[in-house]
Amino acid sequence: RDLRMSRGLGDVYKRQKSRRIKMLREDLQKALKESMLNKDMTTVGAVRLIIAGMKEKDVEARGKGQKEASEAELLSMMQGMIKQRNDSIKMYLDGHRQDLADKEMSEIKVIEKFLPKQMSEAEIEAVLKTIIASTGASSMKDMGKVMGELKAKYAGQLDMGKASGMIKSLLQ
């Protein structure tokens, strides 16, 4: 009986995740249609890039025997897109190209609409301390365990680069 209950909860969790992925895909398609009707080319371009990245992740997932990319993979992909744009903004500003930097900033705003609320530094630190305690991490050798757990549970909700630095300081 207990085994069936735990399986049932796991199935419910999988269905909820599946619904969230489906909703994300539907929201992207809806945003694309609306932005095309409104002739908002910045949003059209950014949403098309997200959809293209999503299709690429789906192809990779099918190669691994999965039906489609997981929520964590899609959120990580969008985080990566934001990171790329931030890098581009820095280069454009160094090259005195404010117009291109503004374009990248507006694309970041569009991508962020589809990501979950970002965690604050205090929230990240609290989560990291909980994960470190639950995994029993005590040294830098255990950083991989902590990062793996963090990516599995909080993908898309925080900057993994910033979290990595925080993990290093907590494990020393």
Side-chain angles (χ1 to χ4, degrees), residues 114-125:
F114 300 100
L115 286 171
K117 180 184 163 284
Q118 297 296 297
M119 297 171 77
S120 69
E121 286 201 28
E123 291 171 322
I124 294 170
E125 189 170 345

Side-chain angles (χ1 to χ4, degrees), residues 14-29:
K14 285 179 186 174
R15 283 193 301 265
Q16 286 175 343
K17 263 188 145 178
S18 178
R19 271 191 231 128
R20 283 196 305 256
I21 293 171
K22 196 172 192 175
M23 284 177 52
L24 175 64
R25 292 172 190 275
E26 289 170 0
D27 289 347
L28 285 165
Q29 290 298 330

Side-chain angles (χ1 to χ4, degrees), residues 71-123:
E71 181 182 26
E73 290 171 329
L74 297 178
L75 295 175
S76 292
M77 181 231 8
M78 288 193 282
Q79 282 291 102
M81 292 174 83
I82 288 175
K83 187 173 187 219
Q84 288 173 341
R85 276 150 188 78
N86 281 326
D87 293 344
S88 296
I89 288 170
K90 186 177 183 297
M91 289 191 304
Y92 289 143
L93 291 175
D94 289 345
H96 306 290
R97 293 296 309 264
Q98 186 63 45
D99 56 328
L100 295 174
D102 291 342
K103 181 179 180 283
E104 296 290 328
M105 283 185 238
S106 60
E107 284 184 4
I108 287 174
K109 288 177 186 167
V110 172
I111 296 168
E112 285 176 340
K113 288 179 190 175
F114 300 100
L115 286 171
K117 180 184 163 284
Q118 297 296 297
M119 297 171 77
S120 69
E121 286 201 28
E123 291 171 322

Side-chain angles (χ1 to χ4, degrees), residues 57-69 73:
K57 289 291 182 185
D58 285 343
V59 169
E60 285 178 27
R62 277 188 228 115
K64 297 175 187 173
Q66 301 167 349
K67 182 181 174 189
E68 59 186 16
E73 290 171 329

